[in-house]
Amino acid sequence: MSRITAILCCLMAWGLSMAAHAQEFTGLARVDAARSGVTDLRAGAELRLGLSQPVPFRAFTLDNPRRLVLDFSVVAWQGFDAAGFDRSVAISDIRVGTISAGWSRMVAALDAPMKVASAELRTTGAAELVVALEEVSAEQFAASAGAPPSDNFTLPEPAELVAPRARPGGERPVVVVLDPGHGGIDPGAERGEAVEADLMLQFARELREALLRAGGFEVVLTRDADVFVPLEMRLSVARSAQADVFLSLHADALAEGRASGATIYTLAGEATDIASEKLAERHDRAELLAGVDLSQQDDAVAKLLMDLARADTWPRTDRLADALVEGLRSNVGDLHKRPRQSAAFSVLKAPDVPSVLIELGFMSSERDLANLQSPEWRARAARGIRDALRVWAKEDAAEGELLRQ
């Protein structure tokens, strides 16, 4: 990675930290009832709240009457079933609502004195808040109960930033993040019993195995089950893994036209054509399902910084896309008549990771659908992507060495 990109990454992290003080959260987390509930334990209880995306939270207890309070920024409670959520005897009543602009609250009435033994927001796969309650004496409860000093969340100390990792030059594996499109409440395209989310998860697992068997690759999946993962979290997975490459896998369907064959997409402010623009709109519907307000994503400064970072990443992304076209053409041959296109796919907007979206085919095409359902064809497609990544990684490492000199 160039020194300019490293500086920009640090500036972006600083800007995001400052934005946390100045901007309201506009994303709403939704409650997943199937992953939520309160259950009794031998000496306490456990509260689990499945969420569509991570949100800041805090947990504390209050006395007279005894109750557990959970504050969030922000959880939408529409359709929340308190009776179905609480399956314990430790909690006698659950109430939820909004306490102020940008903040929502859950209050659980406690039948016995219990302290918060632990409270953890897990983000592996899908977001889930887990609060463990432990029975204590009335005196211990009263001593520990009380609201935090401020109605606003206490911000943690700034995290130490990990230094940007240099391009792999053979001394370490190439980190590839595979992003099976859609999942959970967003099945993607459907054709008969075939579902895009399921087909892409199957292919991602097969591609992962092909890359691991080849050696020289480390592979991370943004989802490894039929779960809903918001677009923002998919990018967070890539950044947490310090990805060298991000590949988003899709197989859409078009209501009009006769498009067929694999297509490689890179990011662009404007789509190559109307069909690509429509595809980008449908892919980004995940943000709407997650309740995220897309109307004001970036301020002018953040946009400028990200555009500068992309200026360093884009040439690498273009070479990656070209290599993927050649790899797939050599192994499957079933390419779109214009196999290299671009559109404003939100999932490709990580400024510091070469990212492409692979439409393996169109489920609206009988031939493509048969290919996607064929283990033999998927194996050849996986080999094509593997070969492309090998070629690209070698060329990228050579360029990186020249830049270091």
Side-chain angles (χ1 to χ4, degrees):
M1 181 177 292
S2 72
R3 189 175 70 171
I4 292 176
T5 302
I7 293 172
L8 288 172
C9 288
C10 293
L11 286 172
M12 288 169 60
W14 173 82
L16 290 173
S17 175
M18 295 299 293
H21 294 270
Q23 297 179 356
E24 288 188 357
F25 291 95
T26 57
L28 298 179
R30 309 286 176 177
V31 177
D32 183 348
R35 297 187 294 112
S36 302
V38 183
T39 54
D40 291 312
L41 302 177
R42 180 167 16 177
E46 182 178 76
L47 180 150
R48 288 178 175 269
L49 192 66
L51 299 171
S52 60
Q53 65 188 55
V55 293
F57 79 96
R58 66 179 181 180
F60 58 95
T61 55
L62 295 174
D63 205 355
N64 297 319
R66 298 187 184 109
R67 56 206 187 274
L68 166 71
V69 180
L70 300 175
D71 287 343
F72 305 89
S73 176
V74 181
V75 171
W77 299 114
Q78 288 86 345
F80 179 79
D81 177 13
F85 174 75
D86 180 18
R87 298 184 289 271
S88 74
V89 297
I91 291 177
S92 58
D93 184 48
I94 294 276
R95 297 192 179 186
V96 297
T98 301
I99 56 173
S100 63
W103 305 103
S104 54
R105 171 171 288 181
M106 171 185 287
V107 180
L110 303 176
D111 269 358
M114 291 186 289
K115 71 175 184 179
V116 178
S118 63
E120 178 186 7
L121 183 65
R122 300 172 181 172
T123 57
T124 302
E128 181 183 47
L129 174 65
V130 181
V131 179
L133 299 173
E134 181 180 292
E135 290 184 5
V136 294
S137 68
E139 292 76 15
Q140 289 174 315
F141 181 87
S144 62
S150 170
D151 288 339
N152 296 321
F153 289 4
T154 301
L155 293 174
E157 290 297 318
E160 291 188 13
L161 296 177
V162 177
R165 188 160 61 170
R167 302 184 193 186
E171 73 288 349
R172 65 171 179 84
V174 177
V175 180
V176 180
V177 171
L178 301 179
D179 174 44
H182 310 284
I185 59 173
D186 178 22
E190 298 177 89
R191 184 81 180 273
E193 296 184 356
V195 178
E196 180 183 3
D198 297 339
L199 287 172
M200 292 304 98
L201 178 57
Q202 181 179 31
F203 181 74
R205 289 168 173 168
E206 294 168 351
L207 177 55
R208 174 178 60 188
E209 290 305 310
L211 293 174
L212 293 178
R213 285 196 303 269
F217 294 101
E218 178 183 325
V219 185
V220 176
L221 268 60
T222 58
R223 67 178 182 93
D224 201 3
D226 185 22
V227 295
F228 177 76
V229 183
L231 297 183
E232 181 179 342
M233 190 184 296
R234 295 172 190 261
L235 298 180
S236 295
V237 169
R239 186 159 286 108
S240 297
Q242 291 192 291
D244 297 306
V245 177
F246 180 87
L247 303 180
S248 190
L249 306 172
H250 289 264
D252 220 295
L254 296 179
E256 301 176 0
R258 298 181 179 179
S260 65
T263 314
I264 309 300
Y265 282 93
T266 53
L267 179 68
E270 296 183 0
T272 308
D273 52 31
I274 294 176
S276 298
E277 182 179 356
K278 296 298 181 184
L279 283 178
E281 289 175 358
R282 281 202 294 278
H283 287 195
D284 288 357
R285 66 182 175 179
E287 291 288 12
L288 302 179
L289 288 167
V292 176
D293 179 4
L294 296 175
S295 59
Q296 298 180 10
Q297 291 190 80
D298 302 324
D299 60 28
V301 175
K303 185 177 186 301
L304 175 61
L305 288 172
M306 287 189 287
D307 285 347
L308 287 171
R310 289 188 185 110
D312 184 63
T313 306
W314 269 338
R316 302 174 63 204
T317 302
D318 283 336
R319 289 195 298 272
L320 173 62
D322 290 340
L324 287 166
V325 168
E326 292 306 313
L328 286 170
R329 178 179 283 129
S330 299
N331 284 270
V332 299
D334 299 313
L335 301 187
H336 188 273
K337 62 181 180 181
R338 296 174 61 198
R340 274 282 273 113
Q341 299 194 43
S342 59
F345 291 108
S346 290
V347 77
L348 301 182
K349 290 184 178 179
D352 51 346
V353 182
S355 307
V356 301
L357 186 146
I358 304 175
E359 286 280 356
L360 283 171
F362 293 86
M363 293 175 63
S364 48
S365 162
E366 293 289 347
R367 185 192 68 176
D368 285 6
L369 181 58
N371 286 339
L372 293 167
Q373 294 175 316
S374 164
E376 191 276 335
W377 186 91
R378 293 197 306 269
R380 287 191 286 121
R383 287 197 297 271
I385 295 173
R386 177 204 63 191
D387 294 347
L389 288 173
R390 279 175 164 170
V391 169
W392 175 83
K394 184 177 180 179
E395 294 177 350
D396 194 60
E399 183 190 65
E401 181 60 31
L402 288 174
L403 291 175
R404 284 191 290 270
Q405 294 174 3

